[in-house]
Amino acid sequence: MGLPMSDPTAWATAMNNLGMAPMGMTGQPLLPDFDPALGMMTGIPPINPMMPGLGIVPPPIPPDMPAVKEIIHCKSCTLFPPNPHLPPPATRERPPGCKTVFVGGLPENGTEQIIMEVFEQCGEVIAIRKSKKNFCHIRFAEEFMVDKALYLSGYRIRLGSSTDKKDTGRLHVDFAQARDDLYEWECKQRMLAREERHRRRLAEERFRPPSPPPVVHYSDHECSVVAEKLKDDTKFSEAIQTLLTWIERGEVNRRTANNFYSMIQSANSHIRRLVNEKAAHEKEMEEAKEKFKLALSGILVQFEQIVAVYHSASKQKAWDHFTKAQRKNISVWCKQAEEIRNIHNDELMGIRREEEMEMSDEEIEDPSEMKETEESALVSQVEALKEENDSLRWQLDAYRNEVELLKQEQGKASRDEDTTKEQQMKLLQQALQGMQKHLLKVQEEYKKREAELEKVKEDKLKIETLLENLKEQQSMADEEDKEGDAADCQGNESSMSRVCACSQEKECPVEKTLSNSPVKSEREVLLVGIISTFLHVHPFGASIEYICSYLQRLDSKICTAEVEVLMTRLQNTFRQELSGVGASLEKRWKFCGFDGLKMT
C-alpha cells in the first residue's frame, strides 16, 4: 500500500481538522525542505507498507517517541489516522490460528467493493461477510495479514469528498474467532506433531543398535555348510548360533537327527581347544607376574642404591662441603626416595605373601588334589566312554527308526487287525472283571444271609428252652397249689396267659423272619421307611447315588449295592424308571407304595 503525500498543505489541513498539530513521521513539525516528489521529508527514506517483513505495521519506535500514522488515499475513499496522543485501541485475546478480523464502524453507504479496496492491500482476501449494521468479517489467506489489518484500527474513513454522516465512519479492527481458522490451526498442529514424531523416530532408529543378521532356514545344503563352519575356529561362533536357532525352531526330527548329532559332536570337539586356550592364557598371566616381580625387585634394588647414595652424602665428611640449599634438596630427595621405596617394598612383600599362602594351600590340599586329579582322569575316561556309547546308541536308534518306518509302510493293514483284536480283548477283559465283581457281591450277600439265618436259629432255640422251663415251673406250681384258693388259680391262669402272650410275641418275629417276606431285619425296615419318605418328597424320582448320599449322612456304613438290592426286592413299594434321551439317559427310583395299596 502506498502512502502518497503530493500536497503538504492538505496534510496539515487534515491534521488540523482532527485537532492535531501538523507533525512529521518523527513527531517534529513539518520542515520547509519538504520534497513533494518523494512524499516524505528530505533525507528520510520512504516507508512502503508492502516491504517484506514490514507491511502496514511500522517499525518499532522508542517508547519516548509517539507513533504517528499517515493518511491513506484509495480510489473511492480516504483514511485519516487517529490522534497519536490517544491510547491504542483495545483488542481481544488472539485466538489460535486467527485469519479472520472483525471490522466495525463502517459507513452506512459502504459497500463490499470499498471494503475490498481498503483491505486487499493488507493481503489476499478470501471472503467478506458484511452485515446490515455497519460491520463485517474479513478472512485473509495468511495469519500475518491480520496484523496488517489491525494497523488500520482507529482510522477515520471518508467516501470520496462527501462530509455526510452516512459516508463517514471510524474503523475498529479486532481479532475474530472462526471455526475454519481453528480447524486449519489444529490440522497444522497435528501435522507438526506428526513431523516431530517422525523426526524423533528417525533419531531413535539412528541410535538403535543394528539387528542381528537373519538365520537361514534348515536344508541339507545349509546343514553341510554349517558343519564345515563348525570345524573352522574363526567361523565357529556364527555356526554355533545358527545351530542353536535350528534346534530351538524344532528342526530336529527322525530324518535329520544324525546330521544334528554330527554337528553337536563337532561343537563338542571345540571344548578341548577352549580349555587349551584358557591354560595358555593362564600360563601367560603367570609369566607376566614373574616378569613384573623381577622388574619390581630390580627397581627396588636401584631405589636402595639411590637411598644409600643419599645417606652417604649426608654423612659429616661430605655434608659439610654442600651449601644450605644443596643440603635441603638432598634431604628432600632422600625422604621422597625412601617413601617410594617403602611403597614398592610393601607391594612386593604383598605379592610374596600371596604366593606363600597359595603354596601353603597347595601343600595342605596336595593329597586331596591328587585324589581329585585321579578322579578327574577317571571321570574323563568315563565321559569319553559315555560319548562313544551315546554315539553308538544314536546310530542304533537311527537304524531302528528306519526299520520302524519300513514296517509302518508295509504293515498298516496288519496293525489295523491287531488294534481290533486288542479292542475285543479289552472288552472281554472288562466283561470278565464285571462278572467277577458281581460274583463277589453275590457271595457277600449269601454270607450275610447265612449269618442272619444262624442268628434266627439261635433265637429259636433260646425261646424253646424258655418255653420248656416255663412249662416245668407251671406243672410244679399246679401240684403245689392244688389245694389253693380260686383266686390263686385265677392268678396262675393270668400269669400263664401272660407267659403265653410273651412267648407268642417272641415267636412272632422268628416266624416272620423265617417266612418269605422281602424285609428281613429291623435295619432294613428303617431303611425302607427313610427311603420312602425321601422319595415321597421327590415325586419325580431320584437316582440311586442321590439316595445313597442322603443315607450315608445318617449312617456311613450303608453301601449302594445293599440299598439297590433292597429296593429291587420291594417292587410294590419302589419302581425304577428311565428318564432322558441319548447320552442324558438316567435311571430314577420312584415311590409307588400308595399305588400298591389301591390295587390291594
Side-chain angles (χ1 to χ4, degrees), residues 355-592:
E355 289 180 352
E356 288 176 358
M357 290 174 68
E358 289 177 358
M359 290 294 291
S360 62
D361 292 338
E362 288 176 358
E363 289 175 357
I364 292 168
E365 295 176 359
D366 275 340
S368 62
E369 284 184 357
M370 290 293 290
K371 291 180 181 178
E372 287 178 358
T373 52
E374 292 176 359
E375 289 178 358
S376 62
L378 292 172
V379 168
S380 61
Q381 291 177 2
V382 170
E383 287 179 353
L385 292 172
K386 280 184 179 178
E387 288 178 359
E388 292 179 0
N389 190 12
D390 290 337
S391 63
L392 294 172
R393 191 174 66 223
W394 281 107
Q395 290 177 2
L396 285 172
D397 290 337
Y399 290 131
R400 285 174 184 171
N401 292 333
E402 291 178 359
V403 172
E404 286 178 0
L405 289 171
L406 292 172
K407 286 181 179 179
Q408 287 177 0
E409 291 175 356
Q410 292 176 358
K412 285 184 180 179
S414 61
R415 283 186 179 180
D416 294 336
E417 293 177 358
D418 293 337
T419 53
T420 54
K421 289 180 179 179
E422 288 177 358
Q423 290 177 357
Q424 290 176 359
M425 290 293 292
K426 286 180 181 179
L427 291 172
L428 291 172
Q429 287 177 357
Q430 290 176 359
L432 288 172
Q433 289 176 359
M435 292 292 289
Q436 288 176 357
K437 290 179 181 179
H438 185 66
L439 287 171
L440 291 171
K441 289 180 181 178
V442 170
Q443 288 177 359
E444 289 177 358
E445 291 177 0
Y446 180 71
K447 288 179 181 179
K448 288 179 181 178
R449 291 179 181 178
E450 283 183 349
E452 290 175 358
L453 287 172
E454 289 177 357
K455 287 181 181 179
V456 169
K457 288 178 181 179
E458 290 177 358
D459 293 336
K460 184 180 178 182
L461 291 172
K462 288 178 182 180
I463 291 166
E464 287 177 354
T465 54
L466 287 170
L467 286 171
E468 289 177 357
N469 291 329
L470 288 170
K471 285 178 181 180
E472 290 177 358
Q473 289 177 3
Q474 186 179 3
S475 62
M476 292 292 292
D478 290 338
E479 290 177 357
E480 289 176 359
D481 298 334
K482 280 180 181 180
E483 296 176 356
D485 297 334
D488 295 332
C489 291
Q490 289 177 0
N492 289 328
E493 286 176 359
S494 63
S495 63
M496 285 294 292
S497 62
R498 287 178 186 174
V499 171
C500 292
C502 292
S503 63
Q504 286 176 3
E505 287 178 359
K506 290 182 180 180
E507 287 175 2
C508 285
V510 176
E511 290 173 359
K512 288 179 181 178
T513 53
L514 293 173
S515 64
N516 293 325
S517 64
V519 181
K520 298 181 179 181
S521 64
E522 292 182 2
R523 186 169 180 272
E524 291 184 354
V525 172
L526 288 171
L527 287 175
V528 169
I530 294 167
I531 294 167
S532 301
T533 307
F534 181 78
L535 292 177
H536 184 63
V537 177
H538 295 78
F540 296 103
S543 62
I544 190 69
E545 291 83 4
Y546 186 24
I547 296 167
C548 290
S549 65
Y550 177 73
L551 293 173
Q552 284 174 356
R553 293 182 185 176
L554 305 174
D555 188 1
S556 59
K557 296 179 181 179
I558 295 171
C559 62
T560 308
E562 181 183 357
V563 176
E564 191 171 6
V565 169
L566 178 61
M567 294 174 74
T568 51
R569 278 187 288 168
L570 300 170
Q571 296 180 358
N572 294 327
T573 308
F574 304 109
R575 183 174 67 251
Q576 188 178 18
E577 294 181 356
L578 295 175
S579 62
V581 179
S584 62
L585 196 64
E586 186 180 8
K587 292 181 180 181
R588 288 178 175 269
W589 288 90
K590 290 187 178 180
F591 178 72
C592 60

Side-chain angles (χ1 to χ4, degrees), residues 230-244:
L230 285 170
K231 296 175 183 177
D232 191 358
D233 297 343
T234 58
K235 300 178 180 179
F236 174 73
S237 59
E238 179 185 356
I240 199 71
Q241 186 64 33
T242 305
L243 177 60
L244 177 62

